[in-house]
Amino acid sequence: MTDHPHLRVTVDDSRQVLTVTLANAEERNAQTPSLWRALAAAGEAVGDDIRVVVLRAEGTSFSAGLHRGMLSPAGMPGEPHLVATATSAPADTAEMIAGFQRAFRVWQEMPQVVVAAVHGHAIGAGFQLALAADLRVLADDAQLAMRETSLGLVPDLAGTRPLVACVGYARALEICATGRFVGAAEATAIGLATVAVPRAELDATTDDLVQALLEAPAGALRELKPLLRSATEGSAQDQLRHEREAQVRRLGALAQGQP
């Protein structure tokens, strides 16, 4: 479902589960704009027949973040020259970043529940891809970090909002400003992860969570995700309206015999 050499997309039709796998283990799944285009395309192609999405990675790390070659003076063949972009018109640079952000935002916006199975390092863009998921299952060797500030930059791949939603403003500021690593146990304690398990149990635990999600009525689950997300984004009155509207849709569906 993707022609990018470092991304594999598979579908389990019997369970209605789509799995997206970062597949560049030799470079710790370092990310590039061409990978982001493939991620965006994969997300935009997810159909209504899919109920749950799993984001995972091969090798020793979930993702070491942006490929360092992107920041070299020579750049990388086939990829936009990020160093040269620094001298472009601000509007052009902003438009380019907006394209990059889509690869992360698409997983946040889809109606399906997205689960990230994270092991090893998830740094910068890797951390933000994990944050694009609704739920995160961490291996006990997971190390999460926002390293952009150490480069004089800021996180810009749609990760700031979910990070603040998970841990609050003050903790998010401390994590981003210091660039320190957050281990699996701390991530679970502060709300970044659903659970942390031994590395050998990561796949099985993720599958157990996916199965539990699949056992919920499909229509109710699709209403639940945007309903809970809107609770952090609007006013109390807006949320009451969202609850009413969602429940009216569910009652109508149940009256018609739809799950």
Side-chain angles (χ1 to χ4, degrees):
M1 293 178 63
T2 174
D3 58 2
H4 196 283
H6 299 150
L7 190 69
R8 186 170 67 253
V9 180
T10 57
V11 178
D12 182 342
D13 291 319
S14 65
R15 301 176 72 205
Q16 297 179 287
V17 175
L18 180 139
T19 301
V20 179
T21 304
L22 302 181
N24 186 14
E26 290 185 0
E27 297 183 291
R28 295 195 303 154
N29 297 307
Q31 300 180 28
T32 60
S34 65
L35 177 69
W36 295 336
R37 288 194 298 271
L39 275 168
E44 290 164 353
V46 176
D48 291 339
D49 55 321
I50 297 299
R51 294 191 57 193
V52 178
V53 174
V54 177
L55 301 179
R56 60 179 299 276
E58 295 180 345
T60 60
S61 292
F62 182 74
S63 174
L66 181 68
H67 198 298
R68 288 305 177 102
M70 296 298 304
L71 299 175
S72 69
M76 292 182 66
E79 304 288 354
H81 199 299
L82 295 189
V83 176
T85 298
T87 62
S88 301
D92 293 338
T93 303
E95 182 178 2
M96 181 183 69
I97 294 172
F100 298 164
Q101 290 172 328
R102 186 61 193 159
F104 299 77
R105 187 63 178 167
V106 65
W107 307 105
Q108 299 174 13
E109 293 175 343
M110 65 175 50
Q112 294 84 358
V113 176
V114 181
V115 179
V118 182
H119 68 282
H121 288 100
I123 301 173
F127 190 5
Q128 292 183 83
L129 183 59
L131 286 166
D134 301 296
L135 304 171
R136 282 157 293 282
V137 179
L138 267 56
D140 56 6
D141 66 347
Q143 293 286 322
L144 316 176
M146 290 289 195
R147 302 293 293 169
E148 289 83 353
T149 305
S150 66
L151 300 172
L153 303 171
V154 295
D156 65 345
L157 297 173
T160 57
R161 188 181 189 96
L163 179 61
V164 173
C166 286
V167 305
Y169 160 75
R171 180 68 72 192
L173 175 62
E174 181 261 332
I175 289 171
C176 293
T178 65
R180 71 175 179 87
F181 286 98
V182 179
E186 181 185 0
T188 305
I190 65 177
L192 273 174
T194 303
V195 64
V197 297
R199 175 70 180 90
E201 298 175 16
L202 179 63
D203 290 343
T205 302
T206 301
D207 192 64
D208 286 346
L209 175 58
V210 169
Q211 186 57 41
L213 294 168
L214 292 172
E215 290 172 2
L221 196 60
R222 287 192 176 228
E223 289 286 3
L224 185 62
K225 175 175 173 176
L227 179 63
L228 295 181
R229 187 176 294 279
S230 67
T232 66
E233 299 174 355
S235 68
Q237 290 303 314
D238 285 340
Q239 185 61 15
L240 290 172
R241 176 173 55 81
H242 291 316
E243 289 179 359
R244 292 193 299 270
E245 292 172 348
Q247 195 72 305
V248 167
R249 288 190 293 270
R250 290 307 307 145
L251 289 169
L254 291 173
Q256 297 175 34
Q258 300 173 5

